[in-house]
Amino acid sequence: MDTAETHHAWRAALADGDPYRVEQLLRRDPRLVLFGYAWSGTGEAAERAELRGLLLPGGRGDVPFAADSPWGIPADADFADALEHVWAPVADNCPGFLAALRAEVLGLALIAMEDTYLLGYLYLTGRTGGLPRDLRDLPPYTGANALAVLWGTAPTRLGPTDVVPLLEEPLPAGVRDLAAVHSSITSFDVDFELCLDRFSTTLRASTLADHEGEDPDDYAETEDFTRALNGEFDRWVQFCTCGSACEAYFLDMADRDPHDIPRVTLANMDGTSERPGAPFWTWFDQSVPSLLFFV
């Protein structure tokens, strides 16, 4: 199928409440294919992915979630119940984010692949108008570019004393609570990736060690260069990127709020950065909805 055919197939599958077609389309999702390759070393893993649960507004085509789902979603839960159940552990910290999920997500799909579960949030991306009031209105609906999938991986449940190797300390509260909902949250369409189960690198700013044996006069001493020389970025840990916004986000382990949660510092792809950082839950609640759904 070409792109236009795929877009129409998605809208038709949801409008008809057809679990079989939803499963076939999910197997072609680019992010799911990348997950499969990362986990098995082959691009064929996604072709074997199985739909183990599907919940849609209105209940047409619902498939009860598998009993061994890591989120423990009850078999009799409907779409709204399941959404609330998954996010209940952190609901008080991110009401704005949950409001965006309720407004934008058109369905929840539980996928099993390579003995691992993922939770897919189905939503329309690039839309220019309001969402249809009924999924049966999706096929003729032209206010959206495409249906996209936001993938949440299984929870990472760490105790308050479990040390994360890169940090050489436990995950801070708040960050640890979010990881217990999803260890990572990714969307291929907007190139969004929030990873709490692993930390990639500190900010890639120049340091004296990078230029050992070279002439420092060959490098422009920008504000960030000077800050790097002073070791300011030594405790910055990247945990989120958004390609569509050309931004990366770091936990500033040296700058924490009164609850001992690291603040989130923005670094633009051009190498500039902004401080002071936002409190973790403020950033998640206010910034992530716009990064994902442009709301």
Side-chain angles (χ1 to χ4, degrees), residues 29 57 70 83 107 119 128 140 160 185 203 209 237 242 248 256 275:
D29 180 77
L83 203 59
L119 188 60
T128 56
I185 304 171
L203 184 66
V237 183
C242 184
R256 306 194 183 207
R275 290 194 70 182

XYZ file of all heavy atoms in Angstrom, residues 29 57 70 83 107 119 128 140 160 185 203 209 237 242 248 256 275:
124
model
N 3.891 -0.818 11.331
C 4.274 0.455 11.936
C 5.797 0.560 11.998
O 6.477 -0.346 12.500
C 3.698 0.563 13.345
C 4.073 1.869 14.010
O 3.472 2.898 13.673
O 4.997 1.862 14.856
N -13.005 3.719 21.663
C -14.164 4.461 22.177
C -15.453 3.915 21.559
O -15.540 3.713 20.352
C -13.895 5.894 21.709
C -12.408 5.966 21.535
C -12.002 4.612 21.051
N 1.477 -6.456 31.570
C 2.235 -5.891 32.698
C 1.547 -4.703 33.360
O 1.953 -4.288 34.450
C 3.564 -5.467 32.058
C 3.275 -5.321 30.604
C 2.213 -6.326 30.297
N -7.381 3.526 30.072
C -6.502 4.697 30.037
C -6.270 5.215 31.458
O -5.129 5.526 31.838
C -7.138 5.771 29.163
C -6.223 6.826 28.554
C -5.167 6.205 27.668
C -7.053 7.828 27.749
N -7.649 4.962 20.554
C -7.692 3.546 20.865
C -6.423 3.094 21.551
O -5.382 3.756 21.472
N 2.323 -1.232 24.623
C 0.998 -0.630 24.603
C 1.003 0.488 23.575
O 1.800 1.429 23.665
C 0.646 -0.075 25.991
C -0.790 0.409 26.180
C -1.787 -0.720 25.937
C -0.967 0.968 27.595
N -5.825 19.243 11.361
C -6.038 20.687 11.333
C -7.404 21.080 11.881
O -7.721 22.261 11.972
C -5.924 21.218 9.899
O -6.853 20.507 9.064
C -4.514 21.009 9.360
N -14.311 9.174 5.791
C -14.363 10.371 4.945
C -13.659 11.578 5.565
O -13.585 12.625 4.945
C -15.867 10.634 4.831
C -16.427 10.121 6.112
C -15.600 8.914 6.454
N 13.665 2.320 45.514
C 14.357 3.586 45.802
C 15.846 3.432 46.056
O 16.564 4.438 46.074
C 13.624 4.115 47.034
C 12.976 2.919 47.648
C 12.648 2.001 46.533
N 8.680 5.881 26.004
C 7.515 6.349 25.253
C 8.045 6.904 23.944
O 8.871 7.825 23.947
C 6.755 7.442 26.025
C 6.343 6.942 27.422
C 5.531 7.894 25.246
C 5.785 8.031 28.316
N 25.619 15.898 27.948
C 25.554 16.846 26.841
C 26.849 16.862 26.039
O 27.932 16.938 26.598
C 25.273 18.252 27.383
C 25.093 19.347 26.333
C 23.844 19.102 25.502
C 24.987 20.712 27.026
N 39.357 18.338 27.738
C 39.905 17.026 27.379
C 39.710 16.735 25.900
O 40.529 16.062 25.275
C 39.252 15.935 28.224
N 22.150 14.431 32.066
C 21.934 13.111 31.499
C 20.758 13.167 30.529
O 19.634 13.492 30.921
C 21.659 12.063 32.596
C 21.518 10.685 31.978
C 22.776 12.059 33.623
N 13.248 15.036 20.762
C 12.110 15.238 19.869
C 12.633 15.859 18.591
O 12.967 17.051 18.559
C 11.047 16.121 20.512
S 9.573 16.291 19.479
N 16.535 18.384 22.594
C 16.858 17.267 23.476
C 16.659 17.743 24.906
O 16.762 18.937 25.200
C 18.293 16.801 23.256
N 18.091 20.211 41.598
C 16.902 19.442 41.934
C 15.862 20.317 42.617
O 16.188 21.318 43.248
C 17.270 18.259 42.836
C 18.377 17.387 42.235
C 18.501 16.074 42.939
N 19.609 15.293 42.380
C 19.673 13.961 42.398
N 18.691 13.270 42.942
N 20.703 13.339 41.889
N 18.906 27.391 30.879
C 18.755 27.153 32.294
C 18.079 28.378 32.915
O 18.122 29.455 32.328
C 20.126 26.922 32.945
C 20.775 25.605 32.568
C 21.947 25.286 33.481
N 21.452 24.948 34.826
C 22.266 24.663 35.847
N 23.578 24.695 35.680
N 21.772 24.346 37.012
